[in-house]
PDB file of all heavy atoms in Angstrom:
ATOM      1  N   HIS A 141      10.096 -12.189  42.381  1.00 94.00           N
ATOM      2  CA  HIS A 141       8.897 -11.282  42.324  1.00 94.00           C
ATOM      3  C   HIS A 141       7.648 -12.029  42.709  1.00 94.00           C
ATOM      4  O   HIS A 141       6.550 -11.577  42.400  1.00 94.00           O
ATOM      5  CB  HIS A 141       8.804 -10.642  40.987  1.00 94.00           C
ATOM      6  CG  HIS A 141       9.928  -9.655  40.715  1.00 94.00           C
ATOM      7  ND1 HIS A 141      10.122  -8.566  41.540  1.00 94.00           N
ATOM      8  CD2 HIS A 141      11.005  -9.689  39.935  1.00 94.00           C
ATOM      9  CE1 HIS A 141      11.182  -7.936  41.144  1.00 94.00           C
ATOM     10  NE2 HIS A 141      11.793  -8.571  40.185  1.00 94.00           N
ATOM     11  N   GLY A 142       7.779 -13.187  43.439  1.00 93.00           N
ATOM     12  CA  GLY A 142       6.665 -13.786  44.092  1.00 93.00           C
ATOM     13  C   GLY A 142       5.847 -14.704  43.191  1.00 93.00           C
ATOM     14  O   GLY A 142       4.738 -15.093  43.590  1.00 93.00           O
ATOM     15  N   VAL A 143       6.392 -15.051  42.003  1.00 90.00           N
ATOM     16  CA  VAL A 143       5.636 -15.960  41.148  1.00 90.00           C
ATOM     17  C   VAL A 143       5.648 -17.331  41.844  1.00 90.00           C
ATOM     18  O   VAL A 143       6.689 -17.861  42.267  1.00 90.00           O
ATOM     19  CB  VAL A 143       6.267 -16.091  39.780  1.00 90.00           C
ATOM     20  CG1 VAL A 143       5.574 -17.154  38.905  1.00 90.00           C
ATOM     21  CG2 VAL A 143       6.294 -14.714  39.119  1.00 90.00           C
ATOM     22  N   PRO A 144       4.506 -17.983  42.013  1.00 86.00           N
ATOM     23  CA  PRO A 144       4.440 -19.290  42.705  1.00 86.00           C
ATOM     24  C   PRO A 144       5.335 -20.304  42.012  1.00 86.00           C
ATOM     25  O   PRO A 144       5.495 -20.335  40.793  1.00 86.00           O
ATOM     26  CB  PRO A 144       2.913 -19.738  42.508  1.00 86.00           C
ATOM     27  CG  PRO A 144       2.216 -18.467  42.250  1.00 86.00           C
ATOM     28  CD  PRO A 144       3.178 -17.521  41.615  1.00 86.00           C
ATOM     29  N   GLU A 145       5.937 -21.142  42.868  1.00 76.00           N
ATOM     30  CA  GLU A 145       6.973 -22.079  42.407  1.00 76.00           C
ATOM     31  C   GLU A 145       6.527 -22.962  41.199  1.00 76.00           C
ATOM     32  O   GLU A 145       7.301 -23.178  40.294  1.00 76.00           O
ATOM     33  CB  GLU A 145       7.237 -23.065  43.591  1.00 76.00           C
ATOM     34  CG  GLU A 145       8.625 -23.646  43.663  1.00 76.00           C
ATOM     35  CD  GLU A 145       9.737 -22.580  43.533  1.00 76.00           C
ATOM     36  OE1 GLU A 145       9.775 -21.589  44.286  1.00 76.00           O
ATOM     37  OE2 GLU A 145      10.644 -22.815  42.688  1.00 76.00           O
ATOM     38  N   LEU A 146       5.274 -23.308  41.155  1.00 69.00           N
ATOM     39  CA  LEU A 146       4.755 -24.153  40.082  1.00 69.00           C
ATOM     40  C   LEU A 146       4.706 -23.415  38.713  1.00 69.00           C
ATOM     41  O   LEU A 146       4.967 -24.079  37.682  1.00 69.00           O
ATOM     42  CB  LEU A 146       3.299 -24.520  40.412  1.00 69.00           C
ATOM     43  CG  LEU A 146       3.039 -25.870  41.065  1.00 69.00           C
ATOM     44  CD1 LEU A 146       1.620 -26.046  41.321  1.00 69.00           C
ATOM     45  CD2 LEU A 146       3.522 -27.029  40.079  1.00 69.00           C
ATOM     46  N   LYS A 147       4.518 -22.114  38.781  1.00 74.00           N
ATOM     47  CA  LYS A 147       4.401 -21.354  37.544  1.00 74.00           C
ATOM     48  C   LYS A 147       5.716 -20.856  36.981  1.00 74.00           C
ATOM     49  O   LYS A 147       5.850 -20.663  35.801  1.00 74.00           O
ATOM     50  CB  LYS A 147       3.468 -20.202  37.691  1.00 74.00           C
ATOM     51  CG  LYS A 147       2.066 -20.645  38.151  1.00 74.00           C
ATOM     52  CD  LYS A 147       1.129 -19.416  38.088  1.00 74.00           C
ATOM     53  CE  LYS A 147      -0.219 -19.679  38.705  1.00 74.00           C
ATOM     54  NZ  LYS A 147      -1.007 -20.712  37.993  1.00 74.00           N
ATOM     55  N   ALA A 148       6.655 -20.661  37.939  1.00 72.00           N
ATOM     56  CA  ALA A 148       7.957 -19.989  37.499  1.00 72.00           C
ATOM     57  C   ALA A 148       8.635 -20.648  36.336  1.00 72.00           C
ATOM     58  O   ALA A 148       9.076 -19.996  35.372  1.00 72.00           O
ATOM     59  CB  ALA A 148       8.806 -19.807  38.671  1.00 72.00           C
ATOM     60  N   PRO A 149       8.829 -21.995  36.359  1.00 72.00           N
ATOM     61  CA  PRO A 149       9.562 -22.680  35.256  1.00 72.00           C
ATOM     62  C   PRO A 149       8.875 -22.425  33.927  1.00 72.00           C
ATOM     63  O   PRO A 149       9.583 -22.035  32.935  1.00 72.00           O
ATOM     64  CB  PRO A 149       9.623 -24.132  35.682  1.00 72.00           C
ATOM     65  CG  PRO A 149       9.382 -24.130  37.080  1.00 72.00           C
ATOM     66  CD  PRO A 149       8.440 -22.976  37.382  1.00 72.00           C
ATOM     67  N   ALA A 150       7.632 -22.681  33.829  1.00 72.00           N
ATOM     68  CA  ALA A 150       6.918 -22.521  32.543  1.00 72.00           C
ATOM     69  C   ALA A 150       6.978 -21.066  32.087  1.00 72.00           C
ATOM     70  O   ALA A 150       7.168 -20.810  30.887  1.00 72.00           O
ATOM     71  CB  ALA A 150       5.455 -22.946  32.707  1.00 72.00           C
ATOM     72  N   MET A 151       6.910 -20.137  33.002  1.00 70.00           N
ATOM     73  CA  MET A 151       6.930 -18.734  32.612  1.00 70.00           C
ATOM     74  C   MET A 151       8.278 -18.331  32.070  1.00 70.00           C
ATOM     75  O   MET A 151       8.345 -17.481  31.161  1.00 70.00           O
ATOM     76  CB  MET A 151       6.547 -17.865  33.771  1.00 70.00           C
ATOM     77  CG  MET A 151       5.050 -17.743  33.953  1.00 70.00           C
ATOM     78  SD  MET A 151       4.598 -16.892  35.489  1.00 70.00           S
ATOM     79  CE  MET A 151       5.015 -15.203  35.086  1.00 70.00           C
ATOM     80  N   SER A 152       9.372 -18.886  32.640  1.00 67.00           N
ATOM     81  CA  SER A 152      10.622 -18.469  32.133  1.00 67.00           C
ATOM     82  C   SER A 152      11.023 -19.216  30.834  1.00 67.00           C
ATOM     83  O   SER A 152      11.887 -18.726  30.094  1.00 67.00           O
ATOM     84  CB  SER A 152      11.722 -18.655  33.184  1.00 67.00           C
ATOM     85  OG  SER A 152      11.694 -19.924  33.729  1.00 67.00           O
ATOM     86  N   GLN A 153      10.404 -20.305  30.626  1.00 65.00           N
ATOM     87  CA  GLN A 153      10.600 -20.993  29.357  1.00 65.00           C
ATOM     88  C   GLN A 153       9.783 -20.400  28.208  1.00 65.00           C
ATOM     89  O   GLN A 153      10.026 -20.605  26.987  1.00 65.00           O
ATOM     90  CB  GLN A 153      10.177 -22.534  29.417  1.00 65.00           C
ATOM     91  CG  GLN A 153      11.000 -23.350  30.374  1.00 65.00           C
ATOM     92  CD  GLN A 153      12.338 -23.735  29.752  1.00 65.00           C
ATOM     93  OE1 GLN A 153      12.501 -23.706  28.584  1.00 65.00           O
ATOM     94  NE2 GLN A 153      13.304 -24.089  30.638  1.00 65.00           N
TER      95      GLN A 153
END
Side-chain angles (χ1 to χ4, degrees):
H141 293 295
V143 177
E145 208 52 51
L146 263 175
K147 298 189 189 295
M151 280 172 71
S152 49
Q153 293 284 341

